[in-house]
Amino acid sequence: MPLMKIFLVEDDELYAQATKHHLSLNPDNQVEHFVSGKSCIEKLYLQPDCILLDYSLPDLSGIEVLKKVKSSQPELPVVIVSGQEDVATAIDLLKEGAYDYIVKDENSKERIWKTINNLRENAKLRNELDRLREEVNSKYDYSSIKGSSVAIKKVFRLIEKAIRTNITVSISGETGTGKELVAKAIHYNSKNRKSPLVTVNIAAIPNELLESELFGFERGAFTGATSKRIGKFEEANGGTLFLDEIGEMNLNLQAKLLRILQERVVTRIGSNKEIKVETRIIVATHKNLQEEVAKGNFREDLYYRLLGLPVELPPLRKRESDIILLAKHFLKSFVEENEIEELRISDAAQMKLRIYRWPGNVRELKAVIELAAVLAEDGIIDEKDLNFNSVGDELDNLVSAGLTMKDYNQKLINYYLKNNNNNVVEVAKLLDIGKSTLYRMLKNKELTVN
Amino acid sequence: MADKVYDLVQLEELSGGDQDFINMMVDTFLEHTPGQLEELLKAQATNDMVTFGAISHKIKPNVDMFGIKTIIQDVRDLEQLGKAGQNNEELKTKLAKVEAELTIAFEQLRQR
């Protein structure tokens, strides 16, 4: 059980002694006694976990002390202990943020005991929540996005700019480039990180349900609306709403979204009441929204409203220097998660990874590496363990940045050898090169013959 | 000795068998409450009913804690009368009763 630091503000020495003694029966309670409101306020920097506050103090009234405490530490629970059963006063104090109102009578010590125990439980849950939040934050800090290429460093710089403000962010990039990861990195490193990040995949929700999903509805708003429900905008209030695949939103809903972005209010379906929302918006799409605007599929005014800070994620083929780094990272994670023997990626396999075009981007690389880790033998991932799922143009895969002419030659000859049963004579004829050249390359292990 | 006007059951229960705690509480009661009673009498005499109500309010839980049952309700009535500013005969009668019972309680507690 965590230690509870309790400030007891009570000018009645006798009652204070009795309360202190009773609370001290639990060694996890650490009680500090103050005889006036001012002396308590002066010591708030000691960070108590709760305050037991007598309503009638010689210097300040309970409500004055409560207001001062709440103005400096709004989260600090204040329990009012009063000799009078005055419902109106109790309501006023609770409205001002008092945690509880306890009347001094024969049952008060039990009520105080229970209230302190409840607060202890709450503190425990809050600590657990903070720990989990920290865990999530660390999961989505910058280190979760791997890479040292020029292209990804440019993305890092944009993320840093997005974190410092509340600007709308539009993330674009091919499928599998990590758009959601970037949205999470922005949210969990921003000043709103303690508020929720709510993700809505527009493409995954049927259009007829999307409106109620985003804006919520009142009971009876439509058939089946048996109880009211808040929408994703309200859910994300104070935090971030991540609208993935925004390019899939229909024009009717786009108009409604535009109004919310302009006025910062939502209206639940079936209600006229406007609800203020302070939510950062991050949108993502794999489509070229400018083209969609030109085609009439996306509103131009909404496009400019959403553009905010554009973050374009490079495809993996344009981050060639990151491929091996990412592959090793995914391999290490997979090995650790599955508690299997350590694996390394052979030079030939690394070459194969580097020259592939990765149409499925980082997501595909992760899948390929995980499968290779399962197939690998003798602690080495070799070429044969790498199975590319996407059906691409082999020539596309061959033409990749960062290869030398020698690499291309090797790749081309290997391709012909593989398709001609390693028949050197046949391949020399097909490629119109000397047999001796091929034999020399084989001798120097520049070619792969199975 | 006359029958005890106080009852330490509540205090004993609170102490969990800690006699030192009970002694300390009795000492604190004898140190503070006679002064509070004097202030209460002075407030009535000077018709300072705001102070009268406030002191009655402070004495109330201590009278409860020391189980001085004969005046538990009277102290509550004094608080209400004081807050209502009614320095009348009813208040004076009840105050005299509270003073008498508390004086006995002080004496009995000193000799316990």
Side-chain angles (χ1 to χ4, degrees), chain A residues 137-200:
Chain A
N137 289 353
S138 63
K139 195 175 171 190
Y140 294 111
D141 67 8
Y142 284 82
S143 63
S144 65
I145 304 169
K146 301 281 171 198
S148 59
S149 62
V150 174
I152 203 70
K153 278 181 180 168
K154 190 179 162 196
V155 172
F156 289 155
R157 283 197 295 277
L158 289 170
I159 291 175
E160 275 170 22
K161 288 181 201 301
I163 285 165
R164 286 201 293 266
T165 64
N166 215 19
I167 191 170
T168 298
V169 179
S170 56
I171 307 167
S172 58
E174 293 178 8
T175 301
T177 46
K179 294 186 284 293
E180 188 168 356
L181 201 60
V182 169
K184 284 176 177 171
I186 292 171
H187 173 77
Y188 288 114
N189 288 282
S190 73
K191 64 177 169 31
N192 298 333
R193 62 181 166 275
K194 289 199 170 180
S195 298
L197 165 70
V198 177
T199 299
V200 180

Side-chain angles (χ1 to χ4, degrees), chain A residues 318-336:
Chain A
K318 290 198 176 163
R319 302 169 54 189
E320 202 205 312
S321 60
D322 289 338
I323 293 173
I324 303 305
L325 186 145
L326 283 164
K328 287 180 178 173
H329 165 70
F330 292 139
L331 181 61
K332 187 169 176 277
S333 301
F334 188 80
V335 164
E336 283 171 3

Side-chain angles (χ1 to χ4, degrees), chain A residues 10-15 17-18 21-22 25 54 56 82-84 104 106 109, chain B residues 13-15 18 21 24-25 28-29 32 57-58 60-62 65-66 79 83:
Chain A
E10 174 62 75
D11 65 322
D12 183 339
E13 194 64 33
L14 204 64
Y15 193 81
Q17 295 289 4
H21 173 81
H22 187 56
L25 293 176
D54 179 27
S56 308
S82 171
Q84 58 195 14
K104 285 179 186 173
E106 65 273 19
K109 62 178 190 301
Chain B
E13 192 187 312
L14 186 65
S15 74
D18 183 347
F21 170 71
M24 187 264 289
M25 290 297 281
T28 308
F29 181 75
H32 288 89
H57 176 76
K58 287 288 174 197
K60 184 173 63 179
N62 300 342
M65 196 185 298
F66 278 78
E79 184 187 357
K83 281 181 179 169

Side-chain angles (χ1 to χ4, degrees), chain A residues 409-421:
Chain A
N409 282 340
Q410 286 173 355
K411 194 73 201 164
L412 192 64
I413 298 166
N414 273 331
Y415 174 78
Y416 275 85
L417 283 169
K418 188 179 153 193
N419 289 305
N420 289 280
N421 298 319

Side-chain angles (χ1 to χ4, degrees), chain A residues 205-274:
Chain A
I205 302 169
N207 266 323
E208 59 273 20
L209 296 181
L210 196 52
E211 187 175 352
S212 60
E213 190 73 14
L214 288 175
F215 311 136
F217 52 83
E218 292 293 336
R219 186 179 173 188
F222 47 82
T223 312
T226 51
S227 60
K228 84 166 184 190
R229 191 170 138 194
I230 67 161
K232 298 294 181 187
F233 268 94
E234 281 183 77
E235 205 179 305
N237 205 359
T240 304
L241 179 64
F242 175 46
L243 300 173
D244 201 1
E245 299 298 357
I246 188 75
E248 307 301 322
M249 187 178 274
N250 71 30
L251 284 164
N252 177 39
L253 215 51
Q254 285 177 31
K256 291 182 179 172
L257 176 61
L258 179 67
R259 184 178 161 264
I260 290 172
L261 296 176
Q262 283 169 338
E263 296 171 24
R264 294 276 165 190
V265 289
V266 289
T267 309
R268 292 184 199 142
I269 300 170
S271 166
N272 294 321
K273 194 180 156 197
E274 293 186 330

